[in-house]
Amino acid sequence: MLKKVASVLFALVLCLIIAIGVYAGGEVAKVVESYNPLRSTDYTYGSYSLESGYTWILGSNTSTSGYYHINSGNAIVLKTKLSSNENNIEMGYYCNGVYTVCNWSSSGSIFGKYTYTCTMNIAEEGDYKFFISNKTAKTLTFTSTTISY
């Protein structure tokens, strides 16, 4: 009797493993088939402490130059979080040796974090990096920083 129960359990486990493998394989194929090269892309950066007076350059790890190649007409959204409400930060983009500071907005505190959002409309196709500058008198720790387009 014990052998029969063990063999039935073994068969059920084997069927479950096969079913999970087929399901996972089906999901992978589905994602590949539904890929759209025009879809939005998000790049996420880890937590970063930025000392007073310093600028954090956000580059791409998917290109050898470290730049994002952006087509004209794209809207880029740079978003980050801080545990304090700050006014003396700058956000923007770097292209062809020029830093361009853009307007940003902040939301109220949610779970002790303030979200800062900078939307940049790219007028000229080119290679870009993005930045956040700390103009405060203290070190700031940025979390959940993303670039989306």
Side-chain angles (χ1 to χ4, degrees):
M1 179 69 172
L2 187 58
K3 283 184 177 182
K4 188 173 186 172
V5 169
S7 65
V8 168
L9 284 175
F10 178 75
L12 287 173
V13 169
L14 186 60
C15 288
L16 183 61
I17 290 171
I18 291 170
I20 290 171
V22 169
Y23 178 74
E27 286 299 308
V28 170
K30 185 175 180 183
V31 170
V32 171
E33 291 172 9
S34 65
Y35 175 74
N36 181 353
L38 300 177
R39 68 183 166 86
S40 293
T41 305
D42 290 338
Y43 295 92
T44 302
Y45 297 84
S47 178
Y48 191 79
S49 293
L50 188 61
E51 293 181 34
S52 173
Y54 281 78
T55 296
W56 181 20
I57 305 294
L58 303 161
S60 170
N61 65 356
T62 60
S63 72
T64 56
S65 67
Y67 285 86
Y68 293 98
H69 186 79
I70 309 294
N71 293 324
S72 63
N74 278 350
I76 309 299
V77 178
L78 171 57
K79 190 179 287 191
T80 192
K81 293 184 180 185
L82 285 170
S83 58
S84 58
N85 190 10
E86 301 296 337
N87 290 320
N88 293 323
I89 63 170
E90 292 180 344
M91 300 169 80
Y93 60 85
Y94 175 82
C95 182
N96 297 323
V98 177
Y99 287 90
T100 302
V101 177
C102 300
N103 293 328
W104 53 267
S105 62
S106 67
S107 68
S109 177
I110 299 174
F111 299 113
K113 298 283 184 180
Y114 294 84
T115 300
Y116 295 81
T117 305
C118 176
T119 301
M120 300 162 271
N121 294 309
I122 303 300
E124 186 177 317
E125 179 177 347
D127 295 325
Y128 291 81
K129 288 185 180 179
F130 303 94
F131 70 88
I132 300 172
S133 294
N134 179 359
K135 302 295 185 180
T136 70
K138 59 186 176 184
T139 298
L140 300 175
T141 300
F142 296 89
T143 60
S144 303
T145 302
T146 59
I147 294 173
S148 304
Y149 65 95

